[in-house]
Amino acid sequence: MLQFTLSPRVGSIKVVLVEDDPLVRDTTRRLLACEADIDLLGEAENGQAALDLVQRLRPAVLLLDHGLPGMTGLDVLYQLHAAGDAPRVLIYTGHVCAKLAHLALHSGADGFLAKIDAPRVLAQAVRTVARGETYISPCIRDQVMRRSFKHTASPRHVRLTQQDMQVLRLLADGASIQAIGRHLHISERTVHNRIDTIRAILGVESREEAIAWAAACGFSSFGKVPTTEHGNA
């Protein structure tokens, strides 16, 4: 965990970068250093360090990699929202996937930036989310917008909860309804209700489609759950 700007400029956009790849951190740092209205306060390499740095530095914008070791970027996002003090969050990822962008926005992110677009639009993306607006990376913007129009029944303000994501991860790992209930200490009826919510928000018709979403976005649970049950599996 690194802290940089001890005396940020008055009126600048204060940013914290969370990225585990040192080369990407270096490139991103150089891009932000060219902007007179953006100050990089610090950097973190993992989710826990990110949470600590946000609490200490109180940035306006968190530039948050999704593919972190341990906690994913969305796990960090959920914890920030649970604490009630989340900055504007711009998911920053090499995973160019409209489904992941859709999921991130429905999980409370303020924007989604693919690293391939960063050299051209990083500063613009930071400024956009700092203003309270939503930013979507140019390389997938049309796909995300088409998906949003297609699924107008699930507006942006309807969010997947951390428990929803836990259920989705466990389903993707092949866990049965019973196993998920035991693992999360909830009833089977609650598991079914969470799955119905996930389907509605993602705009999919079946549990299998929801699982396909999880696979496409690179999600898996932190530990395998036994899947020996049948019937509701």
Side-chain angles (χ1 to χ4, degrees), residues 83-154:
D85 59 354
R88 301 288 181 182
V89 176
L90 180 60
I91 296 296
Y92 186 49
T93 179
H95 196 160
V96 182
C97 175
K99 289 181 177 180
L100 178 58
H102 184 82
L103 189 59
L105 295 173
H106 275 287
S107 299
D110 299 282
F112 185 94
L113 176 61
K115 290 172 183 174
I116 193 173
D117 284 333
R120 295 183 295 110
V121 300
L122 175 60
Q124 177 188 351
V126 169
R127 293 184 186 109
T128 298
V129 298
R131 291 195 301 266
E133 301 172 11
T134 300
Y135 187 87
I136 302 172
S137 209
C139 67
I140 57 169
R141 186 174 296 153
D142 289 346
Q143 298 175 58
V144 174
M145 294 304 294
R146 283 197 299 269
R147 183 171 293 277
S148 297
F149 284 127
K150 181 179 178 182
H151 303 304
T152 53
S154 61

Side-chain angles (χ1 to χ4, degrees), residues 178-212:
Q178 298 97 322
I180 293 171
R182 286 200 303 270
H183 187 74
L184 299 180
H185 306 291
I186 58 178
S187 69
E188 291 180 28
R189 179 180 293 275
T190 299
V191 175
H192 282 292
N193 289 341
R194 296 318 329 148
I195 292 172
D196 288 342
T197 298
I198 291 166
R199 287 171 49 206
I201 291 176
L202 297 184
V204 298
E205 298 296 327
S206 67
R207 186 191 313 176
E208 289 71 24
E209 287 184 84
I211 293 172

Side-chain angles (χ1 to χ4, degrees), residues 8-195:
R9 290 162 288 189
V10 175
S12 68
I13 302 170
K14 282 70 174 177
V15 175
V16 162
L17 169 64
V18 186
E19 169 61 58
D20 63 315
D21 187 326
L23 292 178
V24 175
R25 284 202 310 275
D26 182 65
T27 300
T28 305
R29 187 186 313 125
R30 292 172 185 272
L31 290 171
L32 293 176
C34 297
E35 306 302 325
D37 60 337
I38 298 175
D39 280 323
L40 181 60
L41 301 185
E43 299 175 3
E45 299 179 353
N46 59 64
Q48 187 56 57
L51 294 170
D52 295 342
L53 207 54
V54 167
Q55 185 175 29
R56 187 194 316 166
L57 300 180
R58 302 293 178 179
V61 175
L62 182 64
L63 192 56
L64 179 61
D65 182 27
H66 171 62
L68 298 170
M71 287 189 286
T72 68
L74 295 192
D75 292 319
V76 174
L77 180 63
Y78 289 129
Q79 292 205 27
L80 288 170
H81 281 295
D85 59 354
R88 301 288 181 182
V89 176
L90 180 60
I91 296 296
Y92 186 49
T93 179
H95 196 160
V96 182
C97 175
K99 289 181 177 180
L100 178 58
H102 184 82
L103 189 59
L105 295 173
H106 275 287
S107 299
D110 299 282
F112 185 94
L113 176 61
K115 290 172 183 174
I116 193 173
D117 284 333
R120 295 183 295 110
V121 300
L122 175 60
Q124 177 188 351
V126 169
R127 293 184 186 109
T128 298
V129 298
R131 291 195 301 266
E133 301 172 11
T134 300
Y135 187 87
I136 302 172
S137 209
C139 67
I140 57 169
R141 186 174 296 153
D142 289 346
Q143 298 175 58
V144 174
M145 294 304 294
R146 283 197 299 269
R147 183 171 293 277
S148 297
F149 284 127
K150 181 179 178 182
H151 303 304
T152 53
S154 61
R156 163 90 193 278
H157 67 271
V158 180
R159 293 179 177 175
L160 287 170
T161 66
Q162 187 168 15
Q163 187 177 86
D164 293 334
M165 283 304 306
Q166 289 173 322
V167 169
L168 189 55
R169 282 190 176 113
L170 293 170
L171 281 172
D173 278 341
S176 67
I177 298 298
Q178 298 97 322
I180 293 171
R182 286 200 303 270
H183 187 74
L184 299 180
H185 306 291
I186 58 178
S187 69
E188 291 180 28
R189 179 180 293 275
T190 299
V191 175
H192 282 292
N193 289 341
R194 296 318 329 148
I195 292 172

